[in-house]
Each structure stands twice: as structure tokens, then as C-alpha cells.
Amino acid sequence: MENQFRFYNTLTREVETVVPHEEGKIAMYTCGPTVYHFAHIGNLRSYVMEDVLEKALRYAGYDVKRVMNITDVGHLASDADTGEDKMLKGAKRENKTVMEVARFYTDAFFEDCRRLNIKRPDVVEPATNCIPEFIHMVSALLEKGYAYVAGGNVYFDTGKLADYFVFSSAVEKEQLQVGVRDDVEEDKNKRNKNDFVLWFTKSKFENQALKWESPWGVGYPGWHIECSCIGIKHLGEYMDIHCGGVDNIFPHHTNEIAQSESYLGHEWCKYWFHVNHLNDKSGKMSKSSGEFLTLSLLGEKGYDPLAYRMFCLQSHYRKPLVFSYENLDNVASAYEKLVKKIALLKDEGEVDDACFAAYREQFVDAICNDLNTSMAITVVYDVVKADMNDKTKLALLQDFDRVLSLDLTTAGARYAEAGNDGDEELAAFVAAKIAERQEAKKAKDFARADAIREELATKGVSIRDTREGTVWELS
Ligand code: AMP
Ligand code: ZN
């Protein structure tokens, strides 16, 4: 499956086949959260889809190394270096230190990820761990003439680049250039409007909480430099795939490319994967607006986090997705029905290899073709209702779940535990299995008895033999 994986590369504006720098390996980077508040379900949409991308690449046979930063310094209220530092804002709001806030929301983020079956990246690096690396890169950019010091801060000089707006079409570039001339200069230190700060020493935040010594005075790094440095630190000079939400395209990713390629002297990352936004009726969901939906809030309202994952997977990552409770309700009940149906499949007989291969091919086609997750879910439904034995269905669903991570073959038991109408169906099924196991034991067919125990375990049911008989519980 390697070399047939295709997705839309924002850099070339085309769906392209991924050809990694090193055969068989993918160096992948994800912009991590700014940990001054809970992640909202919009942020989590991006992380769900990036998780699916990573798992799809692994499924396709690649050895993936994925790196994520944690932004705990330098991200100002506006992505273009103006406004208050977001971490400081969080600390003031909660009357805590910046590091306490960072720790709390980093843990909360990974707890959300765990509940959504999002795999933890291989490397997770907080920006505040890498100050020497930032200082090294800023010094090198100054030496090479791509940066300048003005008013105490260090700026990247976008005027030195032949093509700064790398993600924009020719028409958009023209408009952006016009915009540059028309706009009012906000920061008088900047040579060009789009120049951005690499290192702050003097800014309007006199009370910046975290500061470090640097050759340019005591200060702190700009936001963009962290992803360039952390990416290069852990993935080397060549990155295959860089991900983020569409709001990261400009200025964040544009600035990352400017810095990294000026520093390295060659192309840095070949493929750029961007997830479109989750919006609510009033527009884009954002942390700074203060009002946003969290996964915990959905949990309090009784939604299964995996129903939200399925909600994300049912639409294409490149399309904006509108959140409404009505839409989520529909997906949640479809999810519940689906996993309950799967819970009734019997793990018996032999896998039909021809059937397995045919459906697997359909699934591979869907995910390798610009990560068509809604099509992949259609294949799941096709498998469930197909005319093939249960063993083959279960094998296929387990295989697909390596990418989808919807707990397809185990979640049914959770619903029974929740005490809804799946209870009875599952209880009847387990009772039948226990009776069958008793028969097998009586006939001294212990292999069969063990197989039944294992089958129940795959559905999240554990059994125990007691003097009063066999009892079961959901594990
Ligand atoms: P932040 O914590 O603000 O740095 O954002 C974390 C990630 O969420 C970034 O990749 C953003 O591009 C992404 N993001 C922000 N808002 C949304 C949204 N409404 N829908 C989807 N992704 C988003
Ligand atoms: Zn980033």
C-alpha cells in the first residue's frame, strides 16, 4: 500500500501521492495545543483527523515518527504578534502561575485525546524545554542576514525571501502585496509588514512571566520559531508531513517555512495537511472568545466521546463542519446501533479470505484517496450487512479499527453497561455463550470452552466461575 497514499497538499494545491524523503518512513509533525485553556471540540476535530492520518499511514505500511509541540510560551492573542500573551491571560484568569496553567491544560488535553482514542505522538515537547535550540536558530538567521534586531526585538525579514506567501495562488499573492502597501504599520520596528518576531525582549508585556537570558537581552521566543526548532530537533532536516488546522496556514506555517528553509538552505517539508474548521451556527469555534464546547461538556450531556469521533469521521477533513446537537444526536444514535449490532456477531468459523480481501480493498481505496473517512465508514456498514460469516466481519472490523479507532468490536458492551436496551440483547447473548461453555466443559472440550471465554473478552465481557455458577461482568 505504500506509495499509493494520496492526500491534498496545501503547498501544491493538488492531491498528491506521498513519496517520503526516506523510503518506508514518514517524519510527521503536528502543531500542538496552546495550553492556556481547555481544547474545544473544534481543536479536537483537527487532532482526530490528524490521528486518522497517522494511523492510515501506519496501516499503509509506513514507519511513522510523529512529533508534537506544546505551546506554553510566546503565542500572543493575535497570531501576528499583537495582543496579550495567551498563557499570561490564562494565568491571570485562574490566579495561578503560567507553568501551573500549562501543566493543568496539557494533562486535560491528553485526557481528551485518550477519550477520543487519539494516539499520543511519539514525541511531545513543550516549547519551554527548547530555549537553547530557539536561541541557536535565531542566531543563525541573524548571521545569514535573514533577521534583524530592532527596538530590542529580533525580527525575521520577510523582504529577503523571493516567495514568502508560499501557500497562496498567484492572484492571492498580488492581493496580499497590495494589502502590504495599504495597511497601517502596527509595529514601527518592522521593515516589512509581514515581518514577525523571533525573540522578544521589549514588548508591551512588561510583566511577561517567563523570561530567559539571550544574546539580545532577557526575553522570550516568538510563537513560530518553536515549531521549526522542535521539528528539526526531532525529525532532522527533512520533514515529510506537517499538519494543523487551516487557521495555521497563515501566518504560522508560512512563517515556519520562512525560518526553517532560510536556516537549512533547502526545502524543509514537502506535504502540508490542513484540517478545515468546526463551526457552530455563530461561526468558527475559538478559545479566545471564551465560549466554546469541550469534550467534557459533551460527556456531561451524556455523549460518548467516540460518537464525537464518528461525527468527525463522517465528514471530509477539507470541508468546514457545522456542529449542532441535532447532527451529533443523529451520529450518536447511529453509532450506538452500529456497535450493538456488531456486539451480536459470533466469533465462530473461519475467515473467508476472498471476502476479507475484497472489502479490505474498498477500505484501503477510501482512506488512501485523500483520507475519505466517510467512505471508509460506509464500507464498515457494508461489511456489517454483507452476506458473509460473522468471523470474517469481525476480522474486517478489527482491521479497519486500526485506523478508525471507534472501538467497533468492543463498544457494544459499554452500552449494555449503561443500562439501555442493548442490555437485554447482550445479556441474552452472554447467557447463551455461558451455557454453551458449560456444555463444552461437560464434554471435556476445554479448547472450545477457552475459545468462548476469549470471544466474550473481545466484547469486553469477562467471566468468572463461582460455586453459584458462572458470573460475568463488563471489563
Ligand atoms: P491552538 O490550541 O489554538 O494552538 O489550536 C490547536 C489546533 O486546533 C491548531 O491546529 C488549530 O489550527 C486548530 N483549530 C483551531 N480552531 C479550530 C476549529 N474551530 N476547528 C478545527 N480546528 C481548529
Ligand atoms: Zn506550529
Side-chain angles (χ1 to χ4, degrees), residues 22-206:
E22 213 180 310
E23 210 187 316
K25 292 190 172 172
I26 298 274
M28 179 171 175
Y29 187 88
T30 296
C31 288
T34 309
V35 283
Y36 74 113
H37 219 321
F38 291 109
H40 57 62
I41 58 171
N43 301 128
L44 294 171
R45 178 191 189 195
S46 287
Y47 294 113
V48 164
M49 300 317 292
E50 292 163 3
D51 178 65
V52 177
L53 174 66
E54 176 189 345
K55 287 173 179 164
L57 288 160
R58 290 186 193 274
Y59 186 87
Y62 287 110
D63 176 7
V64 181
K65 179 173 178 188
R66 175 141 172 238
V67 177
M68 181 193 274
N69 65 306
I70 298 289
T71 300
D72 54 1
V73 68
H75 193 174
L76 308 189
S78 143
D79 287 354
D81 300 337
T82 58
E84 197 176 10
D85 182 298
K86 292 188 177 189
M87 292 305 300
L88 200 60
K89 193 172 156 187
K92 274 193 210 156
R93 186 186 62 230
E94 300 186 10
N95 221 358
K96 288 185 187 156
T97 67
V98 164
M99 278 341 250
E100 280 167 349
V101 169
R103 210 169 306 123
F104 179 82
Y105 289 112
T106 303
D107 290 348
F109 171 71
F110 283 113
E111 175 56 17
D112 284 348
C113 289
R114 190 191 62 72
R115 288 192 280 170
L116 285 166
N117 280 350
I118 294 173
K119 178 185 167 296
R120 191 183 169 94
D122 302 292
V123 177
V124 174
E125 179 97 273
T128 49
N129 268 6
C130 300
I131 303 298
E133 284 90 342
F134 303 158
I135 291 176
H136 168 80
M137 190 181 276
V138 175
S139 305
L141 289 170
L142 277 163
E143 261 165 47
K144 290 183 166 201
Y146 287 107
Y148 58 93
V149 179
N153 298 328
V154 186
Y155 294 86
F156 187 92
D157 188 350
T158 55
K160 288 271 154 48
L161 302 184
D163 189 12
Y164 168 66
F165 297 106
V166 282
F167 290 111
S168 313
S169 68
V171 175
E172 286 164 353
K173 276 176 196 167
E174 215 163 276
Q175 286 163 351
L176 283 161
Q177 295 302 341
V178 173
V180 169
R181 283 198 297 272
D182 288 352
D183 266 33
V184 187
E185 189 82 331
E186 283 175 348
D187 180 345
K188 293 272 180 272
N189 294 322
K190 290 186 183 181
R191 288 182 190 165
N192 313 285
K193 178 182 174 274
N194 287 293
D195 290 359
F196 53 93
V197 179
L198 298 168
W199 187 269
F200 290 95
T201 64
K202 294 209 173 60
S203 67
K204 46 188 173 174
F205 327 114
E206 291 306 326

Side-chain angles (χ1 to χ4, degrees), residues 29-32 69 71 223-224 226-228 242-244 248 252-253 256 272:
Y29 187 88
T30 296
C31 288
N69 65 306
T71 300
W223 171 39
H224 316 294
E226 67 179 79
C227 291
S228 291
H242 196 317
C243 323
N248 283 160
H252 186 49
H253 289 167
E256 281 187 41
W272 291 77

Side-chain angles (χ1 to χ4, degrees), residues 381-421:
Y381 278 102
D382 288 347
V383 165
V384 173
K385 63 173 193 271
D387 183 16
M388 70 172 107
N389 69 34
D390 286 4
K391 181 87 176 174
T392 312
K393 290 184 183 183
L394 285 170
L396 279 163
L397 296 169
Q398 274 160 0
D399 184 62
F400 299 169
D401 224 25
R402 287 165 51 202
V403 179
L404 304 177
S405 294
L406 288 168
D407 288 358
L408 289 173
T409 58
T410 53
R414 280 209 299 273
Y415 280 89
E417 191 179 38
N420 47 39
D421 56 15

Side-chain angles (χ1 to χ4, degrees), residues 196-449:
F196 53 93
V197 179
L198 298 168
W199 187 269
F200 290 95
T201 64
K202 294 209 173 60
S203 67
K204 46 188 173 174
F205 327 114
E206 291 306 326
N207 54 349
Q208 178 67 15
L210 299 174
K211 292 182 196 175
W212 294 265
E213 291 285 347
S214 83
W216 320 286
V218 175
Y220 60 99
W223 171 39
H224 316 294
I225 196 81
E226 67 179 79
C227 291
S228 291
C229 284
I230 294 173
I232 293 169
K233 177 177 174 184
H234 294 288
L235 297 169
E237 290 195 9
Y238 295 92
M239 185 185 279
D240 296 304
I241 303 176
H242 196 317
C243 323
V246 286
D247 58 308
N248 283 160
I249 297 174
F250 185 81
H252 186 49
H253 289 167
T254 304
N255 291 351
E256 281 187 41
I257 293 177
Q259 299 161 154
S260 302
E261 298 195 349
S262 303
Y263 170 76
L264 294 168
H266 57 71
E267 189 191 40
W268 176 44
C269 177
K270 212 166 148 193
Y271 305 95
W272 291 77
F273 176 88
H274 290 109
V275 181
N276 214 319
H277 278 157
L278 179 83
N279 303 307
D280 55 23
K281 277 185 218 109
S282 55
K284 179 193 161 222
M285 209 167 280
S286 79
K287 278 191 237 182
S288 50
S289 71
E291 277 183 31
F292 53 81
L293 288 174
T294 59
L295 194 67
S296 303
L297 192 76
L298 294 188
E300 279 164 29
K301 289 182 186 285
Y303 292 101
D304 184 331
L306 295 186
Y308 180 64
R309 186 173 172 107
M310 174 127 149
F311 177 84
C312 294
L313 299 191
Q314 280 201 326
S315 79
H316 196 258
Y317 74 92
R318 276 206 278 143
K319 293 198 184 117
L321 176 58
V322 178
F323 177 83
S324 74
Y325 281 109
E326 199 187 340
N327 293 347
L328 183 61
D329 282 339
N330 288 337
V331 178
S333 80
Y335 176 70
E336 186 178 334
K337 270 192 208 138
L338 176 67
V339 293
K340 279 181 181 170
K341 213 176 219 173
I342 293 171
L344 297 173
L345 297 176
K346 296 183 182 60
D347 195 10
E348 289 170 358
E350 293 293 316
V351 172
D352 177 334
D353 290 337
C355 261
F356 185 92
Y359 280 94
R360 193 171 198 264
E361 196 181 322
Q362 287 183 30
F363 181 78
V364 168
D365 272 356
I367 58 158
C368 287
N369 187 13
D370 200 18
L371 212 64
N372 193 340
T373 48
S374 66
M375 182 61 84
I377 288 185
T378 303
V379 181
V380 167
Y381 278 102
D382 288 347
V383 165
V384 173
K385 63 173 193 271
D387 183 16
M388 70 172 107
N389 69 34
D390 286 4
K391 181 87 176 174
T392 312
K393 290 184 183 183
L394 285 170
L396 279 163
L397 296 169
Q398 274 160 0
D399 184 62
F400 299 169
D401 224 25
R402 287 165 51 202
V403 179
L404 304 177
S405 294
L406 288 168
D407 288 358
L408 289 173
T409 58
T410 53
R414 280 209 299 273
Y415 280 89
E417 191 179 38
N420 47 39
D421 56 15
D423 230 344
E424 283 167 29
E425 262 180 311
L426 185 78
F429 173 73
V430 176
K433 284 285 153 191
I434 289 177
E436 201 182 321
R437 184 166 162 271
Q438 284 314 112
E439 288 302 311
K441 276 169 68 174
K442 246 195 241 163
K444 301 219 178 317
D445 184 355
F446 296 112
R448 175 76 198 128

